Amino acid sequence: DAGITQSPRHKVTETGTPVTLRCHQTENHRYMYWYRQDPGHGLRLIHYSYGVKDTDKGEVSDGYSVSRSKTEDFLLTLESATSSQTSVYFCAISEHRVGQDLRQPQHFGDGTRLSIL
Amino acid sequence: AQSVTQLGSHVSVSEGALVLLRCNYSSSVPPYLFWYVQYPNQGLQLLLKYTSAATLVKGINGFEAEFKKSETSFHLTKPSAHMSDAAEYFCAVSSYNQGGKLIFGQGTELSVKP
């Protein structure tokens, strides 16, 4: 199994509070992704990173920010959590050796279940 | 634009019966396709991938999928279902945008009856 650790695994917080989720990998993969999973929607991309300090938006990025100061860590921050951000969040990594190699699969962490009351 | 459609949000089979989970894709460029499985409270695990080398792809746990360009399909099959196959299954296509993100279908929950 790919070495991906997400923390925390579960979190309950209140509307308006900041929340940071962490993804840590031991595979030295260049690409890292944050997805959210909601019933009826499958998984949708929030943000991704293609290297240290190199990040970009996904399709549902509003209300989220990310940072990647080291190859192994990718942080997702909800600056002011809202109830609509209650979801299960997954981190994924992918080894694109040269540029963007779409043949490489993504490997997923076990997820963070976030509830915002 | 690329998209994936999984037909049937719930599929129920008897143990030992054929498993068929349907996936159709839409892509204006050659697609790279994946099937993932998700067990309760776990992440997604790669079952198999199609990257244009062979149209019939074999994966883990006895699953396989056939890429049919004429039908824009990538259906997942297993000859004989086992109780441990009960899970949610996702079909996905690699996007040419946004870092090669995966575009997922809505998922199919497979139940296996004894």
Side-chain angles (χ1 to χ4, degrees), chain B residues 35-50:
Chain B
W35 274 101
Y36 285 86
V37 60
Q38 184 181 30
Y39 299 101
N41 299 315
Q42 294 187 22
L44 279 70
Q45 179 182 1
L46 180 68
L47 272 179
L48 49 82
K49 62 180 181 180
Y50 168 74

Side-chain angles (χ1 to χ4, degrees), chain A residues 9 31 33 35 37 40 42-43 45 48 57-59 90 100 102-103 105-106 108-110 113, chain B residues 32 34 36 38 41-44 46 49 51 90 94-96 98-102 104-106:
Chain A
R9 291 295 314 281
Y31 276 73
Y33 307 81
Y35 292 88
Q37 182 179 27
L43 282 78
L45 182 69
Y48 69 98
K57 297 179 179 180
E59 61 188 295
F90 286 99
Q100 180 178 290
L102 301 184
R103 295 168 297 177
Q106 294 181 19
F108 288 80
D110 286 336
R113 187 172 297 273
Chain B
Y32 297 118
F34 305 85
Y36 285 86
Q38 184 181 30
N41 299 315
Q42 294 187 22
L44 279 70
L46 180 68
K49 62 180 181 180
T51 57
F90 291 93
S94 283
S95 170
Y96 281 76
Q98 295 181 327
K101 72 174 182 181
L102 290 175
F104 286 89
Q106 293 182 331

Side-chain angles (χ1 to χ4, degrees), chain B residues 1-6 23-29 31-33 72-73 91-96 101-106:
Chain B
Q2 295 167 290
S3 66
V4 170
T5 301
Q6 292 183 240
C23 172
N24 287 89
Y25 69 90
S26 173
S27 180
S28 58
V29 295
Y32 297 118
L33 296 158
T72 62
S73 69
C91 182
V93 62
S94 283
S95 170
Y96 281 76
K101 72 174 182 181
L102 290 175
I103 299 170
F104 286 89
Q106 293 182 331

